[in-house]
Amino acid sequence: MEVIGKTHPFSDIWEKVQAGIRLSKEDGLRLMKSNDIIALGHMANYVREKKHGDYVFFNTNRHINPTNICQTLCSFCAFGVRMKDPKAYTMSMEEIEHRADMVPPGVTEIHIVGGNNPQLKIDYYEELLRRLKKKLPHVHLKAFTAVELDHFSRVNKMPVEEILQRLVAAGLDSMPGGGAEIFAEKPRSIIADHKTSGERWLEIHEIAHEMGLRSNCTMLYNHLESEEDRIDHLIALRELQDRTGGFQTFIPLSWHPENTELIKQYPDLNWSTGFLDLKVLAVARLMLDNIDHIKTYWIQVGTKLAQTALWFGADDLDGTVVEEKIYHAAGAETEQEMEKSELIRLIREAGRIPVERDTLYNIVNMEFAIA
Ligand code: V47
């Protein structure tokens, strides 16, 4: 039986998907407003399999969050704190080096993001990258969101181009996708009032791409955004990707409410549901025709849903992670790390083929595919 036959309400969209024709904003809105999760999943999985067959990518990585002191203090976030907060910390270079010493062989990436700490100048971050690169020359350093780079630019009174040049010279290899949140001004002004604007976030990624750096992109949903805000956000990413081709992967992130100011202001908001998570992921796969990979972040959606997502458009499970702080500050109940063997088991049990990749999606190990 056909999932989407000629009389199905999405038959026109399904024809476009099969013909590789780009979906419009109106198409995106119809999909986002639909509860036909089977049809959405069917179409997203079609695209996903056309791009990647049965492969599911993962990487062996570590997270380091050098400081949680943040002057931006977005209401949706539970990680950033004021300087005088008892939980405030900034890692010394010795602590950073200690973490580098703990990195076992086989790790290919360190993901580094932190708060907008006004006391740290660019030389702190240059030194951090240099020390990590010296100890771990083969490990890819994916560091600093566009929001942090914008903050460094203001604190150091330097154009972001110069900040990026200095950080690249110190060892920066690529940029993570955080900080995008939702570009629409209305919800952004409530959930992330003092943050870098959506326009500036896009501009900084464009600058980075023009300098030859690759980056990721994200969208934070399940707060005050409308369905239209979500589609506009995806289209803004798609348009930038048309110009630069620099985004590697898109990661949908659902908002976690615990310990945040936003839930105090809007007590009716809630945790995301598995249904919404799968819907946003599938619609993203369908709208972002020019971004190769869609990552489901198991830390954030949980391992069971992340595994299911591999049939709803996702082809990447992120990694072993280790020491995740941002989601755990906001009540995430997942573990803070996962063994590689467990990632492989989840992928295999979903009937897919595990492929270990590095940050730039070069294949590190295909042997799990054969076992
Ligand atoms: O920008 C922060 C989100 C992001 C909360 O590039 C929250 O490979 C939900 O971007 N509830 C950071 N979300 C994480 C991120 C990321 C993760 C994994 C891989 C990559 C990559 C990037 O986390 C922030 C924000 O959107 N966030 N607090 C919260 N309470």
CSV table of all heavy atoms in Angstrom, one decimal, residues 281-324:
chain,number,residue,atom,x,y,z
A,281,LEU,N,12.3,17.4,13.0
A,281,LEU,CA,13.4,16.8,12.3
A,281,LEU,C,13.1,16.4,10.9
A,281,LEU,O,13.8,16.7,9.9
A,281,LEU,CB,13.8,15.5,13.1
A,281,LEU,CG,15.0,14.8,12.6
A,281,LEU,CD1,16.1,15.2,13.6
A,281,LEU,CD2,14.9,13.3,12.6
A,282,ALA,N,11.9,15.8,10.7
A,282,ALA,CA,11.5,15.4,9.3
A,282,ALA,C,11.3,16.6,8.4
A,282,ALA,O,11.7,16.6,7.3
A,282,ALA,CB,10.2,14.6,9.4
A,283,VAL,N,10.6,17.7,8.9
A,283,VAL,CA,10.4,18.9,8.1
A,283,VAL,C,11.7,19.5,7.8
A,283,VAL,O,12.0,20.0,6.6
A,283,VAL,CB,9.4,19.8,8.8
A,283,VAL,CG1,9.3,21.1,8.0
A,283,VAL,CG2,8.1,19.2,9.1
A,284,ALA,N,12.7,19.5,8.7
A,284,ALA,CA,14.0,20.1,8.5
A,284,ALA,C,14.7,19.3,7.3
A,284,ALA,O,15.3,19.9,6.4
A,284,ALA,CB,14.9,20.1,9.7
A,285,ARG,N,14.6,18.0,7.4
A,285,ARG,CA,15.2,17.2,6.3
A,285,ARG,C,14.6,17.5,4.9
A,285,ARG,O,15.3,17.6,3.9
A,285,ARG,CB,15.1,15.7,6.6
A,285,ARG,CG,15.7,14.7,5.6
A,285,ARG,CD,17.2,14.8,5.4
A,285,ARG,NE,17.6,16.0,4.7
A,285,ARG,CZ,18.8,16.4,4.5
A,285,ARG,NH1,19.8,15.8,5.0
A,285,ARG,NH2,19.1,17.6,3.8
A,286,LEU,N,13.3,17.8,4.9
A,286,LEU,CA,12.6,18.1,3.7
A,286,LEU,C,12.9,19.5,3.2
A,286,LEU,O,13.1,19.7,2.0
A,286,LEU,CB,11.1,17.9,3.8
A,286,LEU,CG,10.7,16.4,4.0
A,286,LEU,CD1,9.3,16.3,4.5
A,286,LEU,CD2,10.9,15.7,2.7
A,287,MET,N,13.0,20.5,4.1
A,287,MET,CA,13.3,21.9,3.7
A,287,MET,C,14.7,22.1,3.3
A,287,MET,O,15.0,22.9,2.4
A,287,MET,CB,12.8,22.8,4.8
A,287,MET,CG,11.3,22.9,5.1
A,287,MET,SD,10.4,23.3,3.6
A,287,MET,CE,10.8,25.1,3.4
A,288,LEU,N,15.6,21.5,4.1
A,288,LEU,CA,17.1,21.8,3.9
A,288,LEU,C,17.7,20.9,2.8
A,288,LEU,O,18.6,20.1,3.1
A,288,LEU,CB,17.8,21.7,5.3
A,288,LEU,CG,17.3,22.6,6.4
A,288,LEU,CD1,18.0,22.4,7.7
A,288,LEU,CD2,17.5,24.1,6.0
A,289,ASP,N,17.3,21.1,1.6
A,289,ASP,CA,17.7,20.2,0.5
A,289,ASP,C,19.2,20.4,0.2
A,289,ASP,O,19.8,19.5,-0.4
A,289,ASP,CB,16.9,20.5,-0.7
A,289,ASP,CG,16.9,21.9,-1.2
A,289,ASP,OD1,17.5,22.8,-0.5
A,289,ASP,OD2,16.2,22.3,-2.2
A,290,ASN,N,19.8,21.5,0.7
A,290,ASN,CA,21.2,21.7,0.3
A,290,ASN,C,22.2,21.5,1.5
A,290,ASN,O,23.3,21.9,1.4
A,290,ASN,CB,21.4,23.2,-0.2
A,290,ASN,CG,20.8,24.2,0.7
A,290,ASN,OD1,20.3,23.9,1.8
A,290,ASN,ND2,20.9,25.5,0.3
A,291,ILE,N,21.7,21.0,2.6
A,291,ILE,CA,22.5,20.7,3.7
A,291,ILE,C,22.6,19.2,3.8
A,291,ILE,O,21.6,18.5,3.9
A,291,ILE,CB,22.0,21.3,5.1
A,291,ILE,CG1,22.0,22.9,4.9
A,291,ILE,CG2,22.9,20.9,6.3
A,291,ILE,CD1,21.7,23.6,6.2
A,292,ASP,N,23.9,18.6,3.8
A,292,ASP,CA,24.0,17.2,3.6
A,292,ASP,C,23.5,16.4,4.8
A,292,ASP,O,22.9,15.3,4.5
A,292,ASP,CB,25.5,16.9,3.5
A,292,ASP,CG,26.0,17.1,2.0
A,292,ASP,OD1,25.1,17.3,1.2
A,292,ASP,OD2,27.2,17.1,1.8
A,293,HIS,N,23.8,16.8,6.0
A,293,HIS,CA,23.5,16.0,7.1
A,293,HIS,C,22.5,16.6,8.1
A,293,HIS,O,22.5,17.8,8.3
A,293,HIS,CB,24.8,15.7,7.9
A,293,HIS,CG,25.8,15.0,7.0
A,293,HIS,ND1,25.8,13.6,6.7
A,293,HIS,CD2,26.9,15.5,6.3
A,293,HIS,CE1,26.8,13.3,5.9
A,293,HIS,NE2,27.4,14.5,5.6
A,294,ILE,N,21.7,15.7,8.7
A,294,ILE,CA,20.8,16.1,9.8
A,294,ILE,C,21.2,15.3,11.0
A,294,ILE,O,21.2,14.1,11.0
A,294,ILE,CB,19.3,15.9,9.5
A,294,ILE,CG1,18.9,16.6,8.2
A,294,ILE,CG2,18.4,16.4,10.7
A,294,ILE,CD1,18.7,18.1,8.2
A,295,LYS,N,21.6,16.0,12.1
A,295,LYS,CA,22.0,15.3,13.3
A,295,LYS,C,20.9,15.3,14.3
A,295,LYS,O,20.2,16.2,14.6
A,295,LYS,CB,23.2,16.1,13.9
A,295,LYS,CG,23.9,15.4,15.0
A,295,LYS,CD,24.9,16.4,15.7
A,295,LYS,CE,26.2,16.5,14.8
A,295,LYS,NZ,27.3,17.3,15.6
A,296,THR,N,20.7,14.1,14.9
A,296,THR,CA,19.8,14.0,16.1
A,296,THR,C,20.8,13.9,17.3
A,296,THR,O,21.7,13.0,17.3
A,296,THR,CB,18.8,12.8,16.0
A,296,THR,OG1,18.1,12.8,17.2
A,296,THR,CG2,19.5,11.5,15.7
A,297,TYR,N,20.6,14.8,18.2
A,297,TYR,CA,21.5,14.9,19.3
A,297,TYR,C,21.0,14.1,20.5
A,297,TYR,O,20.0,14.5,21.2
A,297,TYR,CB,21.6,16.4,19.7
A,297,TYR,CG,22.7,16.8,20.7
A,297,TYR,CD1,23.9,16.1,20.7
A,297,TYR,CD2,22.5,17.8,21.6
A,297,TYR,CE1,24.9,16.5,21.6
A,297,TYR,CE2,23.5,18.2,22.5
A,297,TYR,CZ,24.7,17.5,22.5
A,297,TYR,OH,25.6,17.9,23.4
A,298,TRP,N,21.5,12.9,20.7
A,298,TRP,CA,20.9,11.9,21.7
A,298,TRP,C,20.9,12.5,23.1
A,298,TRP,O,19.9,12.2,23.8
A,298,TRP,CB,21.6,10.6,21.6
A,298,TRP,CG,23.0,10.6,22.1
A,298,TRP,CD1,24.1,10.7,21.3
A,298,TRP,CD2,23.5,10.5,23.4
A,298,TRP,NE1,25.3,10.7,22.0
A,298,TRP,CE2,24.9,10.6,23.4
A,298,TRP,CE3,22.9,10.4,24.7
A,298,TRP,CZ2,25.7,10.6,24.5
A,298,TRP,CZ3,23.7,10.4,25.8
A,298,TRP,CH2,25.1,10.5,25.7
A,299,ILE,N,21.8,13.3,23.4
A,299,ILE,CA,21.9,14.0,24.7
A,299,ILE,C,20.6,14.7,25.0
A,299,ILE,O,20.1,14.8,26.1
A,299,ILE,CB,23.1,15.0,24.8
A,299,ILE,CG1,24.4,14.3,24.8
A,299,ILE,CG2,22.9,16.1,25.8
A,299,ILE,CD1,24.9,14.1,26.2
A,300,GLN,N,20.0,15.3,23.9
A,300,GLN,CA,18.9,16.2,24.0
A,300,GLN,C,17.6,15.5,23.8
A,300,GLN,O,16.7,15.8,24.6
A,300,GLN,CB,19.2,17.2,22.9
A,300,GLN,CG,18.5,18.5,23.0
A,300,GLN,CD,17.4,18.5,22.0
A,300,GLN,OE1,17.4,17.8,21.0
A,300,GLN,NE2,16.3,19.2,22.3
A,301,VAL,N,17.5,14.6,22.8
A,301,VAL,CA,16.2,14.0,22.6
A,301,VAL,C,16.1,12.6,23.3
A,301,VAL,O,15.0,12.0,23.4
A,301,VAL,CB,15.9,13.7,21.1
A,301,VAL,CG1,15.7,15.1,20.4
A,301,VAL,CG2,16.9,12.9,20.4
A,302,GLY,N,17.2,12.1,23.9
A,302,GLY,CA,17.2,10.8,24.5
A,302,GLY,C,17.6,9.7,23.5
A,302,GLY,O,17.4,9.9,22.3
A,303,THR,N,18.1,8.7,24.0
A,303,THR,CA,18.7,7.7,23.1
A,303,THR,C,17.5,6.9,22.3
A,303,THR,O,17.7,6.6,21.2
A,303,THR,CB,19.5,6.6,23.9
A,303,THR,OG1,18.7,6.2,25.0
A,303,THR,CG2,20.8,7.1,24.3
A,304,LYS,N,16.4,6.7,23.0
A,304,LYS,CA,15.4,6.0,22.3
A,304,LYS,C,14.8,6.7,21.1
A,304,LYS,O,14.6,6.2,20.0
A,304,LYS,CB,14.2,5.6,23.3
A,304,LYS,CG,14.7,4.6,24.3
A,304,LYS,CD,13.6,4.2,25.2
A,304,LYS,CE,14.2,3.2,26.2
A,304,LYS,NZ,13.2,2.7,27.2
A,305,LEU,N,14.6,8.1,21.3
A,305,LEU,CA,14.0,8.8,20.2
A,305,LEU,C,15.1,9.1,19.2
A,305,LEU,O,14.8,9.1,18.0
A,305,LEU,CB,13.5,10.2,20.7
A,305,LEU,CG,12.5,10.7,19.6
A,305,LEU,CD1,11.2,10.1,19.8
A,305,LEU,CD2,12.5,12.2,19.7
A,306,ALA,N,16.3,9.2,19.6
A,306,ALA,CA,17.4,9.5,18.6
A,306,ALA,C,17.5,8.3,17.7
A,306,ALA,O,17.7,8.4,16.5
A,306,ALA,CB,18.8,9.7,19.3
A,307,GLN,N,17.3,7.1,18.3
A,307,GLN,CA,17.4,5.9,17.4
A,307,GLN,C,16.2,5.8,16.4
A,307,GLN,O,16.4,5.6,15.2
A,307,GLN,CB,17.3,4.7,18.4
A,307,GLN,CG,17.5,3.4,17.7
A,307,GLN,CD,17.3,2.2,18.6
A,307,GLN,OE1,16.4,2.2,19.4
A,307,GLN,NE2,18.0,1.1,18.4
A,308,THR,N,15.0,6.2,16.9
A,308,THR,CA,13.9,6.2,16.0
A,308,THR,C,14.0,7.3,14.9
A,308,THR,O,13.6,7.1,13.8
A,308,THR,CB,12.6,6.6,16.9
A,308,THR,OG1,12.6,5.8,18.0
A,308,THR,CG2,11.3,6.4,16.1
A,309,ALA,N,14.7,8.4,15.3
A,309,ALA,CA,14.9,9.5,14.4
A,309,ALA,C,15.7,9.1,13.1
A,309,ALA,O,15.6,9.7,12.1
A,309,ALA,CB,15.6,10.7,15.1
A,310,LEU,N,16.4,8.0,13.3
A,310,LEU,CA,17.2,7.5,12.1
A,310,LEU,C,16.3,7.1,11.0
A,310,LEU,O,16.8,6.8,9.8
A,310,LEU,CB,18.1,6.4,12.6
A,310,LEU,CG,19.1,6.7,13.7
A,310,LEU,CD1,20.0,5.5,14.1
A,310,LEU,CD2,20.0,7.9,13.3
A,311,TRP,N,15.0,6.9,11.2
A,311,TRP,CA,14.0,6.6,10.1
A,311,TRP,C,13.1,7.8,9.8
A,311,TRP,O,12.2,7.7,9.1
A,311,TRP,CB,13.2,5.4,10.5
A,311,TRP,CG,14.0,4.2,10.4
A,311,TRP,CD1,14.9,3.6,11.3
A,311,TRP,CD2,14.1,3.3,9.2
A,311,TRP,NE1,15.5,2.5,10.8
A,311,TRP,CE2,15.1,2.3,9.5
A,311,TRP,CE3,13.6,3.3,7.9
A,311,TRP,CZ2,15.4,1.3,8.6
A,311,TRP,CZ3,13.9,2.3,7.0
A,311,TRP,CH2,14.8,1.3,7.4
A,312,PHE,N,13.5,9.0,10.4
A,312,PHE,CA,12.7,10.2,10.2
A,312,PHE,C,13.5,11.3,9.7
A,312,PHE,O,13.2,12.5,9.9
A,312,PHE,CB,12.0,10.6,11.5
A,312,PHE,CG,10.7,9.8,11.8
A,312,PHE,CD1,10.8,8.5,12.3
A,312,PHE,CD2,9.5,10.3,11.5
A,312,PHE,CE1,9.7,7.8,12.6
A,312,PHE,CE2,8.3,9.5,11.8
A,312,PHE,CZ,8.4,8.3,12.3
A,313,GLY,N,14.6,11.0,9.0
A,313,GLY,CA,15.4,12.1,8.4
A,313,GLY,C,16.8,12.2,8.9
A,313,GLY,O,17.7,12.8,8.2
A,314,ALA,N,17.1,11.7,10.1
A,314,ALA,CA,18.4,11.9,10.7
A,314,ALA,C,19.4,10.9,10.1
A,314,ALA,O,19.1,9.7,10.0
A,314,ALA,CB,18.4,11.8,12.2
A,315,ASP,N,20.6,11.3,9.8
A,315,ASP,CA,21.7,10.3,9.4
A,315,ASP,C,22.9,10.4,10.3
A,315,ASP,O,23.9,9.8,10.0
A,315,ASP,CB,22.1,10.6,7.9
A,315,ASP,CG,22.7,12.0,7.8
A,315,ASP,OD1,22.0,13.0,7.7
A,315,ASP,OD2,24.0,12.1,7.9
A,316,ASP,N,22.8,11.2,11.4
A,316,ASP,CA,24.0,11.4,12.3
A,316,ASP,C,23.5,11.4,13.7
A,316,ASP,O,22.5,12.0,14.0
A,316,ASP,CB,24.6,12.8,11.9
A,316,ASP,CG,26.0,12.9,12.6
A,316,ASP,OD1,26.1,12.6,13.8
A,316,ASP,OD2,26.9,13.4,11.9
A,317,LEU,N,24.2,10.7,14.5
A,317,LEU,CA,23.8,10.6,16.0
A,317,LEU,C,24.7,11.4,16.9
A,317,LEU,O,24.7,11.1,18.1
A,317,LEU,CB,24.0,9.1,16.4
A,317,LEU,CG,22.8,8.2,16.5
A,317,LEU,CD1,23.2,6.9,17.2
A,317,LEU,CD2,21.8,8.9,17.5
A,318,ASP,N,25.5,12.3,16.3
A,318,ASP,CA,26.6,13.0,17.1
A,318,ASP,C,27.5,11.9,17.7
A,318,ASP,O,27.8,10.9,17.1
A,318,ASP,CB,26.0,13.9,18.2
A,318,ASP,CG,27.0,14.9,18.7
A,318,ASP,OD1,27.3,15.9,17.9
A,318,ASP,OD2,27.6,14.8,19.8
A,319,GLY,N,27.9,12.2,19.0
A,319,GLY,CA,29.0,11.3,19.3
A,319,GLY,C,29.0,10.8,20.8
A,319,GLY,O,27.9,10.7,21.4
A,320,THR,N,30.2,10.5,21.2
A,320,THR,CA,30.3,9.9,22.5
A,320,THR,C,30.2,11.0,23.6
A,320,THR,O,29.9,10.8,24.8
A,320,THR,CB,31.7,9.2,22.7
A,320,THR,OG1,32.7,10.1,22.1
A,320,THR,CG2,31.7,7.9,21.9
A,321,VAL,N,30.5,12.3,23.2
A,321,VAL,CA,30.2,13.5,23.9
A,321,VAL,C,31.1,13.7,25.2
A,321,VAL,O,32.0,14.4,25.2
A,321,VAL,CB,28.7,13.7,24.3
A,321,VAL,CG1,28.5,15.0,25.0
A,321,VAL,CG2,27.9,13.8,23.0
A,322,VAL,N,30.8,13.1,26.3
A,322,VAL,CA,31.5,13.1,27.5
A,322,VAL,C,31.5,14.5,28.2
A,322,VAL,O,32.0,15.5,27.6
A,322,VAL,CB,33.0,12.6,27.4
A,322,VAL,CG1,33.7,12.6,28.8
A,322,VAL,CG2,33.0,11.2,26.8
A,323,GLU,N,31.0,14.6,29.3
A,323,GLU,CA,30.9,15.8,30.1
A,323,GLU,C,30.1,16.9,29.5
A,323,GLU,O,30.4,18.1,29.5
A,323,GLU,CB,32.4,16.4,30.3
A,323,GLU,CG,32.6,16.7,31.8
A,323,GLU,CD,33.9,17.6,32.0
A,323,GLU,OE1,34.7,17.8,31.1
A,323,GLU,OE2,33.9,18.1,33.2
A,324,GLU,N,28.8,16.6,29.1
A,324,GLU,CA,27.9,17.6,28.6
A,324,GLU,C,27.4,18.4,29.8
A,324,GLU,O,26.9,17.8,30.8
A,324,GLU,CB,26.8,16.8,27.9
A,324,GLU,CG,26.0,17.7,26.9
A,324,GLU,CD,25.1,18.8,27.5
A,324,GLU,OE1,24.6,18.5,28.6
A,324,GLU,OE2,24.9,19.8,26.9
